[in-house]
């Protein structure tokens, strides 16, 4: 594979660079060290929250020592460990948050909402999935009774519809949230799960942001992305080469440049070692 002078590798974490036990293998950590030794970048781009991404996952990969870059919340936060500074740090406005809260709160059986902050999950009631991810990331888990209980800045919001929503329910969902489309994008995960993200901020937007920040461009830099799930589609469209995981969505594999082994077979590390280093 012919590469340009500079190489930026953007990788999702869960289901991609992380094994199913949510840990980095020793092989992956060694490959990341080799990437930086070659003066390339390995840049995690994850939906995980700010605290977990920068204070835990990035430290496990030694990005603080390697002077690397990482991105959290599907792109709202990007941090440069070399300069110890934020490249991007964005939050949803209080006005928009209030609007989403008013649309969803008290709609038992119709909408669940998870408001995700730097170190806290705000929910309307205890849920198995939200609690699972909160525990995985080590965040605070807070059940709210009113809007004032959401007392921290919010990066992105997950909306969960009723089980097996009908076409009418999905149509009503888009209609209910039409008023916030100037501020937020609706990203579909499944027919039931949607993310509300700050307008034009997603994993793909991280690519341009980092290129500009480093003073690089398409003429002198090869960008490569790894991913497995719905929120990796935007990344796939913004990099020169996209590599889908064998355990990933078939639709994502269909548009990928290459497919690599599963996340439990060190697929990311294996591809980097054979094709990039």
């Amino acid at each position: 594979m012919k590469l340009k002078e500079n190489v930026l590798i953007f990788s999702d974490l869960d289901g991609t660079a992380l094994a199913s036990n949510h840990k980095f293998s020793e092989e992956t950590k060694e490959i990341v060290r080799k990437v930086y030794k070659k003066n390339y970048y390995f840049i995690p781009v994850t939906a995980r929250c700010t605290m977990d991404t920068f204070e835990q996952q990035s430290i496990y990969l030694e990005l603080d020592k390697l002077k690397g870059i990482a991105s959290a919340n599907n792109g709202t936060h990007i941090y440069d460990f070399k300069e110890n500074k934020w490249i991007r740090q964005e939050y949803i406005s209080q006005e928009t948050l209030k609007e989403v809260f008013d649309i969803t709160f008290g709609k038992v059986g119709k909408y669940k909402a998870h408001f995700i902050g730097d170190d806290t999950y705000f929910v309307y009631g205890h849920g198995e999935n939200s609690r699972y991810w909160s525990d995985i990331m080590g965040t605070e888990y807070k059940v709210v009774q009113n809007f004032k209980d959401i007392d921290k800045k919010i990066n992105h919001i997950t909306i969960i519809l009723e089980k097996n929503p009908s076409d009418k329910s999905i149509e009503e969902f888009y209609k209910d949230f039409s008023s916030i489309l100037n501020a937020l994008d609706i990203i579909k995960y499944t027919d039931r799960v949607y993310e509300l993200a700050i307008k034009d901020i997603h994993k793909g937007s991280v690519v341009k942001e980092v290129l500009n920040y480093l003073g690089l461009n398409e003429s002198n830099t090869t960008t490569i992305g790894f991913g497995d799930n719905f929120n990796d589609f935007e990344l796939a469209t913004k990099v020169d080469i996209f590599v889908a995981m064998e355990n990933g969505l078939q639709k994502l594999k269909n548009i990928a440049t290459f497919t690599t082994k599963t996340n439990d077979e060190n697929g990311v590390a294996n591809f980097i070692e054979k094709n990039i280093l």
Side-chain angles (χ1 to χ4, degrees), residues 180-193:
I180 55 91
L181 293 180
N182 287 331
L184 303 178
D185 288 324
I186 298 175
I187 300 174
K188 178 181 177 180
Y189 277 39
T190 69
D191 282 342
R192 189 185 182 205
V193 180

Side-chain angles (χ1 to χ4, degrees), residues 14-204:
D14 292 286
T16 303
L18 286 168
S20 296
N21 63 1
H22 302 296
K23 296 184 183 296
F24 294 108
S25 69
E26 291 302 318
E27 291 86 347
T28 296
K29 289 189 280 188
E30 179 59 27
I31 286 297
V32 170
R33 287 191 286 268
K34 289 182 179 179
V35 167
Y36 277 92
K37 187 175 182 179
K38 201 173 175 69
N39 292 320
Y40 294 165
Y41 278 85
F42 181 92
I43 303 170
V45 282
T46 176
R48 287 186 175 228
C49 73
T50 309
M51 179 196 70
D52 181 50
T53 300
F54 302 115
E55 297 181 18
Q56 298 183 125
Q57 305 311 319
S58 293
I59 305 306
Y60 298 152
L61 281 179
E62 299 184 342
L63 294 184
D64 55 330
K65 297 177 183 176
L66 296 168
K67 308 303 182 184
I69 291 173
S71 175
N73 310 303
N74 292 330
T76 68
H77 285 58
I78 311 172
Y79 192 78
D80 178 5
F81 285 94
K82 181 179 181 180
E83 300 296 333
N84 291 318
K85 63 182 286 189
W86 293 106
I87 301 172
R88 177 193 281 164
Q89 190 179 23
E90 299 285 345
Y91 296 96
I92 299 173
S93 72
Q94 285 295 107
E95 180 182 4
T96 302
L97 282 178
K98 182 63 163 61
E99 193 165 358
V100 173
F101 182 88
D102 289 342
I103 292 170
T104 57
F105 188 74
K107 306 296 192 305
V108 179
K110 185 176 184 180
Y111 296 132
K112 292 180 182 178
H114 303 155
F115 297 83
I116 302 166
D118 288 343
D119 59 4
T120 307
Y121 254 64
F122 295 93
V123 299
Y124 294 158
H126 289 279
E128 183 178 349
N129 189 61
S130 60
R131 186 78 213 207
Y132 173 81
W133 282 106
S134 178
D135 289 345
I136 287 290
M137 293 188 289
T139 66
E140 183 182 355
Y141 189 81
K142 186 174 180 179
V143 177
V144 303
Q145 301 297 326
N146 54 64
F147 181 67
K148 290 183 179 180
D149 288 340
I150 305 175
D151 56 3
K152 296 184 180 180
K153 293 180 179 179
I154 299 300
N155 306 301
H156 59 118
I157 305 166
T158 302
I159 304 294
I160 301 94
L161 310 189
E162 62 191 357
K163 291 183 178 179
N164 303 313
S166 64
D167 290 342
K168 183 179 179 181
S169 294
I170 295 172
E171 183 180 341
E172 287 179 356
F173 162 71
Y174 279 102
K175 184 178 179 180
D176 286 346
F177 284 87
S178 60
S179 62
I180 55 91
L181 293 180
N182 287 331
L184 303 178
D185 288 324
I186 298 175
I187 300 174
K188 178 181 177 180
Y189 277 39
T190 69
D191 282 342
R192 189 185 182 205
V193 180
Y194 296 79
E195 181 183 63
L196 304 184
I198 298 172
K199 198 76 178 175
D200 298 325
I201 291 183
H202 44 68
K203 289 186 180 182

Side-chain angles (χ1 to χ4, degrees), residues 11 13 19 27 46 60 68 88 97-98 107 119 128 140 142 185 205 212 216 222 227 233-234 237 239 252 262 276-277:
S11 180
L13 293 186
E27 291 86 347
T46 176
Y60 298 152
R88 177 193 281 164
L97 282 178
K98 182 63 163 61
K107 306 296 192 305
D119 59 4
E128 183 178 349
E140 183 182 355
K142 186 174 180 179
D185 288 324
S205 69
N212 291 341
L216 304 176
T222 299
F233 277 100
E234 289 88 356
T237 65
V239 292
L252 197 60
T262 71
I276 300 174
L277 296 178

